[in-house]
Amino acid sequence: MFKSKRSGLVRRLWRSRLVTESDGRDGCRGGEGGRNGPCRRHSGNAGREEEEQSLDALANAVETKEGIPSECVMVPRTELQLGAHHISPQFLLCKLYRWSDLPLSAHLKALCHCQSFDALDSAKVCSNPYHYSRICGPESPPPPYSLSHSEEHKPLDTGTSLGSSTSDGHRSHWCSVAYWEQRTRVGRLYPAHEPSLSIFYDLPQGTGLCLSQLHTNSYHRNSHSSSVQQIRRKIGFGIVLSREPDGVWVYNRSQHPVFVHSPTLDPPTARGLSVKRVMPGFSLKVFDFERSSWMAGHGMKPESQEGPWDPHSVRISFAKGWGPCYSRQFITSCPCWLEVLLNNHR
């Protein structure tokens, strides 16, 4: 099962540093197995089988870079010692297998399908490095709505209105996604009903919106454009869109940056379009429910927007940016891009 050098390293690392007794048996206090060596296990065949399953899941994630979905790898929520610093198991594996430059101050975000998502008080934590992303840091001062807590600025219940249930009890879609190549839309609108949606061009065993399938089923005039073909190859594993309690997030699974814009990313007084770059392995909240409610309540529209304006749309371009800081002024000049239409009771 573990044939490659990488898998062998995963096995050795797991046994020597991470597989610990969480209940303090055999004279080991919880957490010390991670710092001073492993505690002995006496749980019999069931325990060994569970350990092997965890090792398999970890090796699968590392070797495929999550190209094939892998399970959570749960370990006691403890600290490991790295030099003079104490770090978490997930931080250690993310630094070893994903980001060698990961600073100690980095904030890791569990993806929405992970058992550790929003489970801060759980006794165990997932240490699968491909169940985490880094968060894009803030690039501007806090927006006005975060500076006041008066009733006037109290956020509306926008978050729950996205993807609410219909009258017959079925859950409606929370967004629709359109795929574009330059000025031409390819395929039909794709509705998202589940909280997260994978959008990719080439992903083994992937489920979600497969852009290559849209392209195969829809001939169009850009199909032979060299720039479009070049960017198609860069989409790869693509992105994950997720509807979370505070807003809509984008996680970049590809090997190239993606560029995003939405009404809630623009400062209210911005005179230029705010297009944000999301590097591989990073996540960004691209639509903020609270900010959207605040803007709607104050009738605010970014100064950079002229003409018709959709306050509930997000645009995402693969590999190429647009706007004032780029040679392409409009997203319709980008080879491959997405339009995410949030279903705010349209």
Side-chain angles (χ1 to χ4, degrees):
M1 180 67 71
F2 296 89
K3 297 180 180 180
S4 70
K5 292 181 179 179
R6 176 175 288 176
S7 297
L9 181 57
V10 170
R11 177 187 287 271
R12 292 194 298 273
L13 172 67
W14 182 260
R15 284 183 170 170
S16 64
R17 299 299 299 274
L18 295 181
V19 178
T20 63
E21 289 288 354
S22 60
D23 58 2
R25 288 178 292 178
D26 297 327
C28 292
R29 295 194 304 274
E32 286 193 350
R35 298 183 183 179
N36 302 321
C39 297
R40 295 174 179 263
R41 298 181 66 90
H42 295 287
S43 54
N45 293 335
R48 285 193 294 272
E49 182 177 348
E50 182 179 352
E51 179 182 337
E52 290 296 327
Q53 291 175 351
S54 296
L55 285 166
D56 287 346
L58 183 58
N60 176 62
V62 169
E63 290 185 334
T64 67
K65 300 184 185 299
E66 195 64 3
I68 298 175
S70 59
E71 299 176 355
C72 287
V73 180
M74 306 304 293
V75 300
R77 187 182 292 275
T78 185
E79 289 186 337
L80 309 173
Q81 189 162 352
L82 181 65
H85 304 282
H86 291 118
I87 60 173
S88 64
Q90 65 270 30
F91 181 95
L92 175 63
L93 290 183
C94 283
K95 188 173 181 68
L96 281 173
Y97 293 112
R98 297 200 65 185
W99 306 290
S100 60
D101 63 340
L102 189 65
L104 291 170
S105 59
H107 186 187
L108 296 175
K109 179 182 185 297
L111 301 178
C112 62
H113 64 269
C114 178
Q115 293 182 42
S116 290
F117 176 73
D118 261 3
L120 299 178
D121 298 327
S122 174
K124 290 193 173 184
V125 64
C126 175
S127 62
N128 185 332
Y130 284 90
H131 283 195
Y132 289 88
S133 71
R134 297 170 70 174
I135 296 182
C136 296
E139 299 178 9
S140 60
Y145 68 80
S146 66
L147 304 179
S148 173
H149 299 284
S150 66
E151 285 298 312
E152 179 186 4
H153 292 170
K154 185 175 181 180
L156 305 176
D157 195 19
T158 307
T160 55
S161 70
L162 294 179
S164 58
S165 297
T166 59
S167 58
D168 60 1
H170 292 88
R171 181 168 41 171
S172 66
H173 63 284
W174 62 272
C175 78
S176 296
V177 179
Y179 171 54
W180 295 76
E181 291 183 346
Q182 296 173 341
R183 293 180 177 273
T184 302
R185 200 180 91 186
V186 183
R188 60 182 178 83
L189 281 175
Y190 188 96
H193 296 273
E194 298 300 323
S196 68
L197 171 65
S198 291
I199 304 173
F200 54 90
Y201 205 85
D202 182 19
L203 178 62
Q205 301 184 20
T207 58
L209 175 53
C210 178
L211 301 181
S212 62
Q213 191 65 40
L214 284 182
H215 176 259
T216 300
N217 294 339
S218 176
Y219 177 83
H220 54 95
R221 64 187 180 186
N222 292 329
S223 60
H224 299 295
S225 166
S226 60
S227 62
V228 170
Q229 290 179 348
Q230 181 184 28
I231 299 305
R232 281 191 206 131
R233 291 192 291 267
K234 293 184 176 181
I235 296 175
F237 291 3
I239 63 170
V240 176
L241 278 176
S242 59
R243 176 178 56 83
E244 302 181 14
D246 60 343
V248 177
W249 287 76
V250 165
Y251 167 49
N252 184 3
R253 300 183 67 186
S254 76
Q255 298 300 307
H256 300 274
V258 298
F259 299 83
V260 299
H261 171 262
S262 86
T264 66
L265 287 176
D266 274 332
T269 58
R271 296 188 178 275
L273 202 66
S274 297
V275 177
K276 307 295 184 183
R277 181 172 60 178
V278 183
M279 296 300 291
F282 279 74
S283 288
L284 176 69
K285 182 165 61 174
V286 295
F287 192 88
D288 188 301
F289 294 149
E290 183 180 0
R291 183 168 190 169
S292 176
S293 298
W294 184 84
M295 292 174 67
H298 288 74
M300 298 195 68
K301 172 181 176 181
E303 294 183 10
S304 61
Q305 297 287 344
E306 296 181 359
W309 176 65
D310 189 341
H312 298 104
S313 67
V314 178
R315 292 181 170 185
I316 304 168
S317 175
F318 294 101
K320 299 294 183 181
W322 81 98
C325 298
Y326 301 92
S327 60
R328 297 169 178 82
Q329 294 300 298
F330 306 100
I331 195 170
T332 50
S333 299
C334 293
C336 303
W337 57 282
L338 303 171
E339 187 174 26
V340 183
L341 305 171
L342 301 179
N343 182 21
N344 192 47
H345 300 303
R346 290 175 180 270

